């Protein structure tokens, strides 16, 4: 592949210019079309057109409910100039050479990177194909290409009115060079980008045709369930007795694998029943004594010690000690959280002499291919990965543990095997959002503005835990949402004090911003109260250098009628944050019952995600993010005792119910900037907006999540 440079802003406006780096994902050797298959025009890996005019678009981003399987074809079809009704979508195979993210270079997806990383590449892919079709028609008619234009699915010669369908031009177009810098449409010519379109995957999901990982059926397939150690991590099998398990009807084999002991059977029920009959002696390992109480106590001790500076402006410690003004300090705690995807982890694998085939709901097709190749001892090219629909991802399905389960078991028994996890497996053997302990201090000047801010974060880092961090470096996942504080504060210090107890860590929707924005936006609210200022106006006055933050804050406040009277027993709270390329603000309308139960009646959201490819999907993501984050704020916590996760299912790790769900009103701010993310930016501001509203209503400040009703009961 060849790398060129293009300005993202200019690219959005439709003209090529020098600027930010972009990998031209559709360049091929000799600058010819991707395939020379007769009757198929495939100028790049993203699309192909056959002689019937059928357009097939290849979606490289796994569909986990975020809507990429609709937005991606909208983008390509807009530049290609084809009607969406003539488009079908296929999920890309695992092939990092062709389908790697053009920004990260890996075929792994998280961080709300679908549209924001791929928009320029996808637009160029469609535009290149359109130029080739125009040139093919011009050659057919013997006219200058400047006289040739397109209408959906058709090339037209403007002076004469002659037309050729795309399908009629595939053979001639296939022989042409692929343009590397095609002219893009200007926004005024968009048919799809920026317009609202229904999800293309909804009909199949509605009538049951959609295939998720749990739906996979392979001839000769067996089902396996793995008995895992009681502690969350670090334990090993000492010995096991499978004699009773093998007596269960349908059980075929019992094999030890990396993550425990797999019972392989002809049905799910038989696998589960055989698993219960296993007798295993465990070496419980180093985490067998770890508890949540111990973790919190050690965090509280460590917060008195300096950490690694993540952001330093001026001299915060000196300014905090200066005379005059109010000095405020507070401690905030957030718990471990699990993703709780509606579809538990699963994977189907078949290992043969010719290679490996994997069917899996994964956010990481490239990693899955590499993992399977390593375990089977074959080159990656001999591993085929079929990425199914994902019943929720949230970062959890970027991990490889369930892939390891399936490939190891299938290799051991010599048959295709589907590994199925229970809800208990999911909650008790996951990769958790870190629990952290935060000490925040500020000094307000005579006008109530912050003269200094110091924030020390104690806890583990995801990158550090995964071995991806150099010693002495600050883990960006631990300080996101804290080190990038947008407010005008002359003296700022953000520190990270690492403490890792060995609990498995993973990326949870909006990662560090999900916890740190709760801390920072709650403490800003405390500062506003101490200064005697309105929380909205206080923030607004401190955002002089953060125009996009300020705009979404103002829009959310205006649309929520900030300051206007509410029904008795209700109050509003507000929060604003940047994450994953987008800016979001939320206003929450909240009531608290006499028994302390919190009810959120309404969220008003303002989101600046740059260009909004499908506004309907922007709103859907803000609604989904709000529900996900509110679930965590009201109910979410993973606790440990003797190394064991105490939660096991939805009775003690509850999800938000329909009756608890608020109205979510979303307002999209069109900044004209490059696209930002959507899956994660709707999460960080939810918890602080709610807890700030609780304070406005009750005078009680929530500094520990989840929100506890017993702390809000009225006597």
């Amino acid at each position: 592949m060849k790398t060129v440079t293009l300005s993202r802003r200019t690219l959005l406006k439709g003209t090529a210019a020098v600027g930010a780096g972009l990998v031209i994902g559709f360049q091929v050797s000799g600058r010819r079309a991707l395939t020379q298959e007769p009757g198929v025009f495939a100028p790049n890996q993203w699309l192909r057109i056959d002689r019937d005019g059928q357009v097939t678009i290849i979606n490289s981003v796994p569909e986990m409910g975020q809507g990429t399987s609709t937005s991606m074809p909208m983008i390509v079809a807009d530049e290609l100039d084809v009607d969406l009704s003539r488009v079908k979508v296929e999920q890309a195979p695992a092939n990092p050479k062709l389908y790697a993210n053009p920004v990260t270079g890996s075929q792994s997806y998280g961080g709300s990177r679908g549209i924001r990383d791929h928009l320029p590449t996808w637009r160029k892919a469609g535009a290149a194909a359109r130029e080739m079709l125009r040139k093919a028609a011009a050659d057919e008619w013997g006219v200058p290409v400047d006289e040739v234009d397109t209408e959906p699915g058709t090339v037209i010669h403007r002076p004469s009115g002659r037309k050729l369908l795309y399908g009629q031009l595939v053979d001639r177009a296939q022989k042409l060079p692929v343009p590397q810098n095609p002219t893009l449409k200007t926004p005024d010519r968009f048919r799809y980008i920026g317009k609202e379109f229904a999800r293309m995957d909804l009909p199949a999901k509605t009538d049951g045709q959609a295939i998720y990982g749990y739906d996979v059926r392979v001839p000769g397939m067996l089902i396996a369930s793995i008995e895992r150690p009681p502690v969350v991590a670090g334990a090993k099998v000492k010995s096991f007795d499978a004699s009773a398990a093998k007596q269960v009807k349908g059980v075929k084999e019992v094999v030890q694998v990396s993550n425990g002991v797999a019972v392989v059977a002809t049905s799910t029920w038989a696998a589960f029943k055989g698993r219960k009959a296993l007798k295993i002696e465990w070496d419980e390992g180093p985490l067998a004594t770890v508890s949540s109480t111990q973790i919190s106590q050690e965090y509280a001790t460590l917060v008195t010690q300096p950490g690694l500076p993540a952001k330093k402006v001026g001299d915060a410690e000196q300014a905090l000690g200066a005379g005059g003004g109010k000095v405020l300090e507070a401690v905030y705690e957030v718990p471990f959280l699990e993703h709780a995807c509606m579809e538990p982890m699963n994977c189907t694998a078949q290992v043969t002499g010719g290679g490996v085939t994997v069917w899996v709901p994964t956010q990481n097709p490239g990693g899955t291919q590499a993992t399977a190749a390593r375990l089977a001892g074959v080159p990656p090219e001999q591993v085929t990965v079929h990425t199914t629909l994902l019943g929720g991802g949230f970062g959890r399905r970027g991990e490889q543990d369930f892939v390891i389960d399936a490939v190891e078991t299938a290799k051991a028994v010599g048959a295709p095997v589907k590994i199925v996890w229970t809800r208990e497996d999911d909650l008790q053997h996951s990769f958790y959002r870190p629990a952290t302990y935060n000490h925040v201090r500020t000094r307000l000047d005579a006008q109530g503005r912050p003269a200094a801010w110091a924030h020390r974060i104690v806890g583990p880092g995801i990158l550090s835990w995964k071995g991806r961090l150099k010693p002495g470096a600050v883990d960006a996942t631990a300080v996101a949402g804290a080190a990038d504080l947008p407010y005008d504060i002359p003296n700022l210090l953000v520190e990270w004090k690492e403490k890792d107890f060995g609990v498995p860590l993973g990326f949870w929707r909006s990662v560090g911003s999900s916890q740190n924005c709760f801390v920072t936006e709650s403490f800003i609210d405390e500062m506003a109260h101490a200064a005697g200022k309105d929380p909205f106006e206080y923030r607004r006055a401190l955002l002089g250098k953060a125009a996009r933050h300020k705009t979404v804050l103002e829009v959310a406040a205006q649309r929520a009628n900030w300051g206007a009277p509410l029904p008795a027993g209700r109050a509003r709270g507000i929060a604003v944050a940047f994450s994953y390329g987008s800016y979001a603000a939320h206003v929450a309308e909240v009531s608290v019952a006499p028994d302390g139960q919190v009810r959120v009646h309404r969220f008003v959201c303002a989101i600046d995600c740059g260009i909004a490819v499908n506004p309907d999907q922007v709103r859907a993501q803000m609604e989904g993010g709000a529900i996900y984050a509110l679930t965590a704020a009201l109910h979410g916590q993973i606790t440990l005792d003797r190394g064991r996760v105490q939660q096991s299912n939805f009775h003690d790790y509850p999800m938000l119910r329909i009756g608890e769900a608020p109205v979510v009103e979303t307002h999209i701010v069109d900044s004209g900037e490059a696209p930002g993310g959507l899956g994660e930016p709707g999460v960080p501001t939810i918890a602080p907006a709610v807890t700030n509203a609780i304070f406005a209503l009750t005078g009680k400040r929530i500094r520990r999540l989840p929100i506890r009703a017993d702390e809000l009961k009225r006597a």
Side-chain angles (χ1 to χ4, degrees):
M1 294 185 182
K2 176 184 177 182
T3 301
V4 301
T5 53
L6 293 174
S7 162
R8 296 182 78 188
R9 178 186 284 274
T10 304
L11 189 59
L12 289 171
K13 293 179 180 178
T15 57
V18 175
L22 169 69
V23 175
I24 303 304
F26 54 86
Q27 177 162 341
V28 292
S29 177
R31 298 193 176 190
R32 291 286 175 180
L34 193 64
T35 176
Q36 297 299 319
E37 180 182 347
V40 176
F41 171 47
N44 52 67
Q45 67 268 47
W46 307 110
L47 65 94
R48 63 180 184 268
I49 306 172
D50 64 24
R51 287 173 179 161
D52 293 330
Q54 176 67 59
V55 179
T56 301
I57 291 178
I58 310 301
N59 177 29
S60 60
V61 181
E63 177 59 76
M64 60 191 93
Q66 82 279 35
T68 307
S69 60
T70 298
S71 299
M72 189 267 190
M74 285 174 61
I75 294 163
V76 178
D78 220 336
E79 291 291 353
L80 177 60
D81 202 359
V82 65
D83 197 299
L84 273 179
S85 65
R86 295 290 292 158
V87 171
K88 67 179 181 180
V89 182
E90 291 182 0
Q91 192 65 46
N95 186 336
K97 292 180 181 179
L98 285 180
Y99 296 110
N101 181 311
V103 174
T104 67
S106 67
Q107 196 178 356
S108 178
Y109 298 94
S112 301
R113 288 190 169 277
I115 300 300
R116 69 183 178 122
D117 284 2
H118 293 78
L119 179 67
T121 297
W122 288 342
R123 288 191 67 192
K124 288 174 68 69
R130 179 172 171 268
E131 281 196 8
M132 295 170 74
L133 289 164
R134 289 177 59 231
K135 180 66 167 60
D139 291 347
E140 178 77 16
W141 292 322
V143 300
V145 72
D146 290 346
E147 295 180 359
V148 175
D149 203 351
T150 60
E151 295 174 349
T154 306
V155 183
I156 182 169
H157 181 230
R158 291 297 183 192
S160 67
R162 286 179 290 180
K163 296 182 179 181
L164 284 171
L165 299 175
Y166 283 179
Q168 295 174 282
L169 292 165
V170 297
D171 293 312
R172 184 181 284 272
Q174 184 72 356
K175 299 174 183 177
L176 297 173
V178 179
Q180 297 303 298
N181 291 289
T183 301
L184 304 178
K185 286 185 178 180
T186 53
D188 59 294
R189 298 189 65 192
F190 289 161
R191 296 177 184 270
Y192 302 119
I193 298 174
K195 313 297 192 304
E196 294 196 5
F197 286 89
R199 291 276 296 265
M200 297 173 69
D201 55 342
L202 285 183
K205 289 180 176 179
T206 303
D207 64 18
Q209 294 185 62
I211 301 298
Y212 291 84
Y214 258 81
D215 298 320
V216 169
R217 298 288 185 270
V218 177
M221 182 182 76
L222 298 172
I223 307 293
S225 182
I226 295 178
E227 181 67 9
R228 302 167 197 280
V231 297
V232 69
K236 297 179 180 179
V237 176
K238 276 188 179 180
S239 63
F240 69 95
D241 181 354
S243 56
K246 291 180 178 179
Q247 296 303 310
V248 174
K249 184 178 180 180
V251 171
K252 294 295 186 182
E253 295 195 49
V254 178
V255 296
Q256 184 175 342
V257 292
S258 295
N259 295 321
V261 179
V263 176
V264 186
T266 56
S267 70
T268 303
W269 177 252
F272 286 174
K273 190 174 180 181
R275 176 179 166 183
K276 288 181 180 179
L278 285 172
K279 296 178 181 179
I280 305 178
E281 184 180 0
W282 300 99
D283 174 355
E284 294 192 354
L287 266 66
T289 61
V290 172
S291 70
S292 291
T293 299
Q294 173 197 359
I295 291 171
S296 183
Q297 289 173 345
E298 292 201 31
Y299 281 176
T301 299
L302 288 168
V303 82
T304 63
Q305 304 173 12
L308 293 172
K311 182 68 175 288
K312 187 174 183 179
V313 177
D315 191 334
E317 292 294 350
Q318 189 278 331
L320 283 164
K326 294 181 179 179
V327 175
L328 306 176
E329 62 179 319
V331 168
Y332 287 85
E333 290 186 79
V334 297
F336 290 109
L337 290 177
E338 210 280 321
H339 310 76
C341 304
M342 288 297 102
E343 178 193 18
M345 300 304 107
N346 65 89
C347 180
T348 303
Q350 183 171 20
V351 181
T352 67
V356 186
T357 305
V358 181
W359 298 261
V360 61
T362 180
Q363 294 176 237
N364 190 355
T368 295
Q369 185 183 55
T371 295
R374 173 177 57 81
L375 295 173
V378 300
E381 294 76 18
Q382 290 182 321
V383 177
T384 300
V385 178
H386 300 283
T387 302
T388 68
L389 293 173
L390 284 62
F394 317 121
R396 176 64 179 95
R397 296 190 195 274
E399 307 292 347
Q400 294 292 294
D401 51 337
F402 49 98
V403 176
I404 293 170
D405 289 346
V407 175
E408 286 186 344
T409 307
K411 182 180 179 181
V413 303
V417 174
K418 180 196 290 184
I419 293 287
V420 292
W421 286 43
T422 64
R423 181 67 59 196
E424 290 78 8
D425 292 335
D426 252 1
L427 291 179
Q428 296 181 333
H429 296 280
S430 191
F431 295 84
Y432 304 95
R433 189 195 76 171
T436 67
Y437 191 98
N438 302 261
H439 184 213
V440 197
R441 295 174 291 153
T442 189
R443 185 175 68 80
L444 306 181
D445 63 20
Q447 289 73 45
R449 296 174 64 93
W453 172 293
H455 180 182
R456 185 170 294 157
I457 303 165
V458 179
I462 299 170
L463 298 179
S464 178
W465 184 85
K466 291 180 179 292
R468 302 180 191 172
L469 196 68
K470 294 180 179 179
V474 174
D475 194 319
T477 66
V479 299
D484 52 355
L485 202 68
Y487 299 107
D488 296 335
I489 302 174
N491 299 285
L492 177 68
L493 177 63
V494 179
E495 298 173 285
W496 175 53
K497 181 68 175 179
E498 182 178 13
K499 177 56 180 176
D500 180 9
F501 284 88
V503 177
L505 303 178
F507 302 102
W508 190 93
R509 193 172 186 174
S510 78
V511 198
S513 293
S514 72
Q515 59 217 38
N516 291 327
C517 288
F518 163 65
V519 177
T520 58
E521 283 300 290
S522 295
F523 197 59
I524 281 285
D525 226 64
E526 295 202 41
M527 293 159 60
H529 178 71
K533 306 288 186 181
D534 174 84
F536 159 63
E537 295 293 352
Y538 190 77
R539 286 174 170 81
R540 186 171 180 269
L542 294 175
L543 291 172
K545 299 176 183 176
R548 295 176 75 181
H549 283 87
K550 185 177 179 181
T551 298
V552 293
L553 181 78
E554 291 172 338
V555 170
Q558 178 188 16
R559 295 305 183 104
N561 296 315
W562 184 267
L566 281 169
R570 294 193 190 184
R572 296 185 182 95
I574 195 167
V576 63
F578 165 84
S579 64
Y580 296 92
S582 294
Y583 302 76
H586 278 93
V587 174
E589 292 182 11
V590 174
S591 66
V592 180
D595 64 356
Q597 295 296 325
V598 174
R599 177 65 189 268
V600 180
H601 301 271
R602 180 188 183 209
F603 282 121
V604 177
C605 170
I607 175 75
D608 173 3
C609 59
I611 185 170
V613 173
N614 187 348
D616 180 67
Q617 196 56 31
V618 174
R619 286 192 290 273
Q621 285 295 288
M622 294 305 102
E623 291 164 4
I627 296 299
Y628 196 80
L630 184 57
T631 295
L634 294 178
H635 305 305
Q637 62 175 335
I638 290 291
T639 56
L640 298 167
D641 182 45
R642 294 181 299 118
R644 292 152 169 81
V645 171
Q646 295 177 288
Q647 292 71 31
S648 62
N649 211 309
F650 290 151
H651 69 288
D652 53 9
Y653 196 75
M655 300 292 103
L656 201 72
R657 302 290 181 171
I658 291 175
E660 300 175 273
V663 173
V664 182
E665 179 184 315
T666 301
H667 302 278
I668 301 170
V669 176
D670 184 3
S671 63
E673 297 290 340
L678 286 172
E680 280 147 311
V683 170
T685 43
I686 290 295
V690 171
T691 56
N692 292 339
I694 291 171
F695 174 79
L697 183 63
T698 68
K700 296 180 179 179
R701 189 63 72 177
I702 305 298
R703 299 192 181 101
R704 180 177 59 144
L705 292 178
I707 300 164
R708 292 161 172 82
D710 59 359
E711 296 177 1
L712 296 173
K713 286 181 181 178
R714 295 201 285 272

